[in-house]
Amino acid sequence: MSNTKQAGAGDRVVNPHPLIAELAKVLPKDRKFAAHHLSTTPTATDPLCYSPAANSIPPSKENRPSKPLKTYCEKHFLTVSIDTGKDEERQVIVLGLEIYIYTTSFSTIIFVSKADSTGYLNLLNLPKGTPSPIREVTACFLAFLISNRRRPTKQLVVNLFARSQSQYLFPGSVKNNGKHVLDDRGLVKWWSRVLNAMLEGRDYSEMRNHWDSIHGYLIIPGLDNYETRAFLPRTDGASTNWTLGHPLEIMSPYTKDPGTFGHNIHPRSLIPTFPDDPKARFIQELEESVPEKAKLLSGWKTPRTLDQFWDMMAFRQECSSGRLTGFIWVVFEPEITSKPKSLAVRSAAGIITPNTSFSASTSNAPAVGTPRRIQKNAISLITPGATPSKGTRLAKKSRRKPKAKKVLTGPIIPRKPQVKTHRRVQFPEMVETPHYYWPENGRGQVVLNENGYKRAVELLLHLEFGTLEQAIASTARWTMEVNMGDNWALEIVGQRAAIAATTTTVADGAVNNLSGMIRRKRAADDHSADGTTSTAVPVTTLGGGLVRKKAKIDTDTAADASTNGLDQSPTTTESEPKVNVLGTGLVRKKSKTS
């Protein structure tokens, strides 16, 4: 474990880190934040893509795989903390980012592995309308790594996949009611806006000047182009800056050399695989289902093309059954400039070579000016029988007298104890090679080796962030144990001014006329001459032909009708209730009993 800059326990970092100035530009003005940035050294790792079969000269019956690309991986982890308000020393983490940087002699790939928040950002009580610090810090940190990892003639790609989960880095944070967990659709749109800031944002215009072209790509398995277009940012330049598809052919180094690898590259050699990647799990299943010789000859049985691969990805568990996963790329193409020959000589001579390489080359190279050595080798080749056998060597070794054990005398000088955790990380001898670029400005405040980085991340995954008190205790423990108690925080004070409110105040005596915004109700009678609506309730009047008068009935007719049981009442409703009268013939009298 080692620091790029030593800091005593309890002391503040005096010299500003390059990351402090960048984060201060995007954070709210006069608000205090603390950032903890740790990273690893470039370490050799497995290649991201499977190497295709090389064209052999002369052609042979068996296809042999080409030499895989030498790949290095550098890991970065950033956390942002705020004061809880109760005490300046009691801080709580609000954001965590984990980013992997893969470098080869062809390109640099910045892969966003994980991003998570704890939900305690509401403790700042930011005014309404303030840009989200989480989104601003994420875009700023990516732009910081892009600027410090830029190689003049190498392609750079930012890659991620958006898949919603309740918690990635902070266990128990989902219990916090202040945490806003986005669904799959909301997360894809959120990442599109974050990466679109590097394409159109004013804060990153200087970064864009160093590249020939910058273009974004988005693909969502299971959705067509019409449905995917809804996930792009709604800006004027989104139609020209984004493409609904993938740049896998552009990213692959094998498509740039058709003379060696042919014109048709199989998808297994074009699709990069990353940790916890849905594509990686699918590719692993395809690799296990086909023998090695068949894969070099014709690749997988299915899919045969990249379009078929993405169509089959739509039926995977991560992209079906109501789930949605978005794959996003932003490709930075370098400026095309003619490189002079003298520059190549200077760059080769300027690389610092350690002394061990010279000693190794000297010992392994054959000595031309030593004829005695050459003669000895020639004699050994001519007379192989002169070499003693194994039994003869063992017999001579057994006849040797054992050496007497040396008796130590004199004062005993004890050695100072060495704590393994305090050993410094072995930094690479060269900062820049054809395979990676490791500048000092782009390193973390704490630089760890691979094992130390894993322990730091595993420690965070075993803490608890369910309540505020638990989050404060977990933050203090993690920051103390990662750097063995030394303070390694980057103190940041925001500089971005708050956006003025869009509503305008009304001057004294001024009257707002809202008559144009009132929607009047349409009048019921359209035949009014002046067009004004009356407040009285309209009355419907029936014509004379629609009124039916009540017929007059004599008393005799009424009595006769009641006797026959007929109903001669008019059709109009009367206020008195109707009475049914039974006729004489329908009444049955009860017989008298004696």
Side-chain angles (χ1 to χ4, degrees), residues 107-127:
S107 64
T108 300
I109 298 179
I110 299 178
F111 173 70
V112 182
S113 176
K114 294 181 181 65
D116 196 7
S117 63
T118 59
Y120 295 105
L121 189 63
N122 54 5
L123 298 176
L124 291 178
N125 296 323
L126 297 175

Side-chain angles (χ1 to χ4, degrees), residues 153-214:
T153 59
K154 308 298 180 183
Q155 182 189 71
L156 190 143
V157 180
V158 178
N159 187 15
L160 61 93
F161 64 91
R163 182 185 59 192
S164 176
Q165 280 192 8
S166 58
Q167 53 192 20
Y168 270 107
L169 295 172
F170 306 109
S173 59
V174 68
K175 302 176 185 177
N176 179 20
N177 296 329
K179 183 174 183 178
H180 180 51
V181 181
L182 296 175
D183 57 355
D184 294 331
R185 294 179 175 271
L187 188 62
V188 174
K189 293 180 180 179
W190 189 85
W191 275 112
S192 299
R193 291 194 300 267
V194 169
L195 298 180
N196 189 67
M198 292 183 289
L199 300 175
E200 304 178 10
R202 298 179 181 177
D203 297 331
Y204 310 108
S205 58
E206 184 179 355
M207 179 198 68
R208 293 193 294 269
N209 296 333
H210 299 288
W211 300 94
D212 182 64
S213 63
I214 307 175

Side-chain angles (χ1 to χ4, degrees), residues 294-487:
K295 287 184 290 188
L296 292 175
L297 182 63
S298 59
W300 304 320
K301 295 181 179 179
T302 180
R304 306 292 304 211
T305 61
L306 289 175
D307 293 337
Q308 294 178 0
F309 175 81
W310 291 112
D311 291 341
M312 296 179 67
M313 276 292 298
F315 299 96
R316 300 289 296 176
Q317 182 179 0
E318 297 89 348
C319 306
S320 61
S321 301
R323 298 303 305 271
L324 185 145
T325 303
F327 298 87
I328 309 177
W329 300 266
V330 178
V331 180
F332 295 79
E333 293 292 347
E335 296 179 353
I336 302 175
T337 56
S338 59
K339 188 176 180 180
K341 297 182 181 179
S342 59
L343 181 61
V345 175
R346 287 197 302 268
S347 61
I351 296 178
I352 303 174
T353 308
N355 296 330
T356 55
S357 62
F358 288 106
S359 61
S361 61
T362 304
S363 60
N364 296 332
V368 179
T370 54
R372 184 178 300 175
R373 190 173 185 178
I374 297 175
Q375 185 179 2
K376 184 178 180 181
N377 294 338
I379 294 173
S380 63
L381 292 175
I382 295 171
T383 58
T387 304
S389 62
K390 185 176 180 181
T392 308
R393 289 198 303 268
L394 292 176
K396 290 181 179 180
K397 187 175 181 181
S398 61
R399 289 195 298 266
R400 291 177 183 176
K401 295 181 179 181
K403 293 182 180 181
K405 189 175 182 181
K406 186 177 180 181
V407 179
L408 300 177
T409 59
I412 299 176
I413 303 175
R415 293 183 301 175
K416 295 182 179 180
Q418 295 181 357
V419 182
K420 294 182 179 180
T421 54
H422 284 176
R423 290 183 179 178
R424 297 182 61 87
V425 179
Q426 295 181 357
F427 287 178
E429 296 291 338
M430 293 174 287
V431 174
E432 183 176 5
T433 67
H435 305 286
Y436 67 85
Y437 178 48
W438 194 54
E440 185 176 357
N441 290 339
R443 305 174 191 174
Q445 188 70 1
V446 173
V447 179
L448 306 174
N449 54 16
E450 188 68 21
N451 295 331
Y453 179 85
K454 289 181 180 180
R455 285 195 299 266
V457 176
E458 287 292 332
L459 173 62
L460 186 66
L461 296 178
H462 285 81
L463 299 177
E464 184 66 29
F465 292 85
T467 62
L468 181 59
E469 294 298 329
Q470 291 176 344
I472 293 173
S474 299
T475 301
R477 179 183 175 184
W478 186 78
T479 55
M480 291 293 289
E481 292 190 12
V482 168
N483 200 26
M484 301 302 296
D486 295 339
N487 180 37

